[in-house]
Amino acid sequence: MTYSYVAHTELHHAEDAGAFLGSQISTAFNGEPPDALLLFASSKYEYPKLLQTIESACRPKILIGCSSAGEFATGTHCEGSASAVAVRSSETRFAAGLGRGLRANPIAAAKAVVSSFHGPSSPEYRYRSALVLIDALAGYAEDLVWQLILATGGTYRFFGGGAGDDGQFRQTHVFYGTEAVSDAVVALEILSNKPLGIGLGHGWQPAGPPLRVTEAAGLRLVGLNAMRAVEVFQEHAVATGQVFDAVDPLPFFLHNVLGIDTGKGYKLRVPLAVNPDGSISCAAEIPTGAIVCIMGTGSASAAQAAAAATEDALRQLQGERPGMALFFDCAATRLRMGKEFGIELHAVQTALGEAGYAGCNTYGQIARTETQFSGFHNCTAVVCVIPE
């Protein structure tokens, strides 16, 4: 059996929050240490103190997590808080890996993470998965996921997201033990003989014609259909009766993201800012030559997509009872929906039934399964359901 416990706190001081979470988990497990503890915490906390206090209070065998941009747990969601989920299992094997120096060498970072995995030497486990949390502000998120796929020979399913910092976009951290590390990636390997369910969905639809990316450089989208990228968005705003302010474009961008046509759907990218040369900085790379559309959605569509992702994950359990779920969605989604983001979380909880969940708003989401190979997403709900 696999046992889990979800905890959440809005206590302001790191030591108080850590002591509360650790005490709740320790009590739930009758003083026995969790096999793995996952923590998602606002940037307002002093992370070393928070992590050290939690470790002292419940002595987890593995402690990983990330900074966040909105935290949630069963029945609650807010900003400036911390949520945690602890797991004990007699049937599942966990391991954690850390890769540093992501910006300088994503290949080496991926290899460092995978070097801690036990799957290749543990054929007795049928299913191999890993929760991946990354400092997305370091860049190379898409490349990093691909390098993880290569390093594991395509035998693992990945899910997770990019660490946040409450929408400041200055510095994000991943947690590894009592360390809070930037420019890094951390992963929790999950080996089991029961299937995990991983679902994803976004609910966005094309709101304009197909466009070819004629020039792009890293996170900068330079040209669409041989026009400056900003001009295309300006034309779309006029055509749809919206206001586009190049000085403060984020309110427009939150409702008008880009979708990369993958042939099997659209992978989303969030525009963030307009540069002096008319290019647009995005939350993740968009390759030159890609076909994209400006996309639109609504609160109901987002909730329906999250519910569908959860239901898909539940079906993948092959009849096993759900124990708990990890849920990630974009910080941009929360900013766009405001208080209505609770509708999406309610849809997830309704689909899960009695199973609890925890997670956070992230800067990008990770999902790589048997039918989903694109890896890194924006504005996409990702859910992983772990059976009892």
Side-chain angles (χ1 to χ4, degrees):
M1 286 288 290
T2 297
Y3 302 93
S4 62
Y5 181 77
V6 172
H8 179 265
T9 182
E10 296 180 54
L11 292 171
H12 293 282
H13 297 292
E15 293 95 332
D16 294 339
F20 176 83
L21 293 173
S23 175
Q24 291 283 304
I25 292 166
S26 181
T27 299
F29 288 157
N30 297 316
E32 295 295 323
D35 291 327
L37 191 156
L38 314 176
L39 175 69
F40 313 106
S42 162
S43 61
K44 77 175 187 179
Y45 291 109
E46 295 181 60
Y47 291 133
K49 292 182 180 179
L50 178 66
L51 294 165
Q52 290 165 10
T53 307
I54 290 175
E55 185 176 69
S56 297
C58 64
R59 300 173 290 110
K61 297 176 183 178
I62 293 172
L63 170 57
I64 71 161
C66 68
S67 56
S68 50
E71 303 75 39
F72 31 86
T74 309
T76 185
H77 69 98
C78 57
E79 303 168 47
S81 62
S83 61
V85 57
V87 184
R88 280 181 60 85
S89 179
S90 59
E91 302 172 326
T92 305
R93 183 174 184 177
F94 300 98
L98 174 70
R100 303 176 189 267
L102 177 60
R103 186 178 288 108
N105 195 334
I107 297 176
K111 289 181 177 179
V113 167
V114 173
S115 69
S116 300
F117 287 3
H118 298 293
S121 60
S122 303
E124 66 272 24
Y125 294 101
R126 294 177 58 195
Y127 300 101
R128 303 176 183 181
S129 306
L131 165 64
V132 179
L133 302 169
I134 182 175
D135 177 3
L137 296 185
Y140 303 101
E142 187 84 71
D143 189 26
L144 185 280
V145 176
W146 179 242
Q147 294 302 328
L148 289 173
I149 294 170
L150 291 177
T152 55
T155 61
Y156 279 70
R157 307 168 82 212
F158 297 108
F159 67 97
D165 64 348
D166 297 306
Q168 300 175 81
F169 296 97
R170 295 175 183 170
Q171 185 179 32
T172 62
H173 299 79
V174 296
F175 308 146
Y176 183 74
T178 57
E179 287 188 88
V181 190
S182 295
D183 190 22
V185 54
V186 68
L188 177 72
E189 180 190 41
I190 306 170
L191 302 179
S192 65
N193 283 312
K194 292 181 180 179
L196 274 64
I198 300 174
L200 71 159
H202 56 64
W204 291 73
Q205 299 293 331
L211 304 161
R212 183 172 294 279
V213 178
T214 47
E215 186 178 355
L219 300 180
R220 290 172 54 246
L221 176 62
V222 180
L224 290 168
N225 285 1
M227 297 173 58
R228 292 194 309 162
V230 67
E231 294 173 355
V232 174
F233 279 95
Q234 289 169 334
E235 288 187 357
H236 182 75
V238 172
T240 55
Q242 300 181 74
V243 176
F244 178 80
D245 182 353
V247 177
D248 182 24
L250 192 58
F252 175 86
F253 285 151
L254 289 175
H255 295 270
N256 298 271
V257 306
L258 284 168
I260 302 173
D261 189 347
T262 66
K264 296 182 178 180
Y266 290 88
K267 180 170 63 174
L268 303 183
R269 293 291 183 257
V270 178
L272 296 173
V274 177
N275 302 311
D277 63 356
S279 65
I280 292 175
S281 295
C282 297
E285 298 89 346
I286 301 176
T288 299
I291 300 298
V292 301
C293 288
I294 297 177
M295 311 285 282
T297 192
S299 298
S301 295
Q304 291 166 5
T310 307
E311 291 163 0
D312 182 30
L314 289 167
R315 283 192 292 269
Q316 295 170 34
L317 298 187
Q318 300 177 20
E320 297 288 344
R321 285 175 52 86
M324 67 91 175
L326 294 167
F327 181 67
F328 305 97
D329 203 349
C330 200
T333 301
R334 180 181 60 79
L335 290 172
R336 175 177 57 81
M337 296 180 69
K339 292 181 179 179
E340 291 185 338
F341 184 67
I343 299 173
E344 181 173 329
L345 294 177
H346 178 71
V348 171
Q349 184 65 77
T350 300
L352 286 172
E354 296 180 358
Y357 71 92
C360 65
N361 294 115
T362 54
Y363 294 168
Q365 298 74 52
I366 293 169
R368 188 274 176 186
T369 66
E370 291 84 352
T371 58
Q372 173 52 257
F373 293 94
S374 56
F376 193 73
H377 307 259
N378 293 151
C379 289
T380 298
V382 172
V383 59
C384 174
V385 181
I386 299 176
E388 289 183 342

